[in-house]
């Protein structure tokens, strides 16, 4: 794959996009509008939007990462990827409404207070009956699920003590408090998980 030296590229996104798409095809069949929180480089967005053309895939990122994200979206020129907007979960949120939310490999990068803020704010932008999908590595029962995740957690915390793998049960508790549940845990390659919730319809 040829990538412009100016365009950001995340090897992990190339590796995990196939398995994630299998889950999304299953749970997004009746969806129309997706809000992706923390779109990163945009590799996931262009891959998923191309594979699921019935979805309007709205990307978002912190302001500093928007130029790279726009490069991927502009090059793909897909009709179902509107312009990205700036979103810092700890700051002001958009006023739109979506019937789906997706985020990948973000919860272990955010401080826990930002994770809490994410789940607190989702009900304000998601419709009743909305689907929420979160992808990444998680601890289960307060324990690492493998040596790779333990090493990854240690690396994260050296870079920033506020980072680290989150306990699946703690994240599920935030989702339930926000009106989502029950959680459907999909096992993924490389000891990752896709967590899938549906918001109550009423």
């Amino acid at each position: 794959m040829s990538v412009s030296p100016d365009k950001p590229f995340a090897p992990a996104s190339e590796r995990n996009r196939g398995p994630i798409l299998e889950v999304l095809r299953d749970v997004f069949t009746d969806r129309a509008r997706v809000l992706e929180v923390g779109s990163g480089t945009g590799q996931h967005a262009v891959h998923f939007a191309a594979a699921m053309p019935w979805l309007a895939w709205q990307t978002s990122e912190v302001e500093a990462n928007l130029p790279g994200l726009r490069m991927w979206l502009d090059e793909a020129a897909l009709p179902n990827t509107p312009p990205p907007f700036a979103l810092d979960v700890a700051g002001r949120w958009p006023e739109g409404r979506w019937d789906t939310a997706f985020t990948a490999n973000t919860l272990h990068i955010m401080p826990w207070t930002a994770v809490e803020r994410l789940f607190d704010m989702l009900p304000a932008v998601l419709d009743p009956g909305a689907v929420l999908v979160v992808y990444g590595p998680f601890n289960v029962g307060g324990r690492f699920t493998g040596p790779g995740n333990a090493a990854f957690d240690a690396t994260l915390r050296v870079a920033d003590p506020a980072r680290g793998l989150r306990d699946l049960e703690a994240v599920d508790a935030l989702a339930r408090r926000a009106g989502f549940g029950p959680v459907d845990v999909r096992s993924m390659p490389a000891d990752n998980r896709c967590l899938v919730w549906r918001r109550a319809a009423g």
Side-chain angles (χ1 to χ4, degrees):
M1 179 178 195
S2 176
V3 178
S4 164
D6 297 324
K7 192 169 70 170
F9 179 76
S13 294
E14 293 296 303
R15 292 194 299 268
N16 61 36
R17 66 183 190 175
I20 296 174
L21 179 59
E22 290 184 20
V23 174
L24 300 188
R25 282 188 189 275
D26 180 36
V27 300
F28 287 0
T29 54
D30 60 346
R31 304 288 95 187
R33 304 175 313 280
V34 181
L35 171 62
E36 182 180 15
V37 179
S39 299
T41 61
Q43 289 165 250
H44 276 165
V46 298
H47 184 71
F48 299 152
M52 296 179 286
W54 65 89
L55 291 173
W57 195 282
Q58 177 63 64
T59 53
S60 69
E61 251 299 340
V62 295
E63 189 74 45
N65 294 339
L66 285 178
L69 171 57
R70 288 192 183 101
M71 293 179 75
W72 279 90
L73 296 178
D74 291 348
E75 183 178 280
L78 296 169
N80 57 331
T81 54
F85 54 68
L87 174 59
D88 182 335
V89 297
R92 183 177 180 179
W93 277 62
E95 296 180 357
R97 302 284 298 190
W98 292 268
D99 63 13
T100 314
F102 170 75
T103 190
N105 287 327
T106 56
L107 270 57
H108 54 269
I109 300 299
M110 305 178 192
W112 182 248
T113 53
V115 178
E116 293 176 315
R117 168 77 170 171
L118 168 67
F119 282 91
D120 285 345
M121 293 303 297
L122 284 174
V125 298
L126 295 181
D127 295 334
V131 170
L132 169 62
V133 179
V134 177
Y135 169 85
F138 295 92
N139 292 337
V140 177
R143 296 177 179 274
F144 296 114
T145 55
N149 278 357
F152 182 46
D153 180 81
T155 300
L156 289 168
R157 294 181 187 277
V158 167
D160 185 342
R163 296 179 175 181
L165 270 63
R166 309 306 176 190
D167 288 345
L168 189 156
E169 295 83 0
V171 174
D172 184 42
L174 293 180
R176 286 187 283 108
R177 189 177 73 186
F180 297 87
V183 66
D184 177 13
V185 182
R186 310 284 184 99
S187 294
M188 306 293 286
D191 212 6
N192 289 295
R193 305 284 189 276
C194 264
L195 311 183
V196 182
W197 296 269
R198 188 177 291 269
R199 188 182 184 193

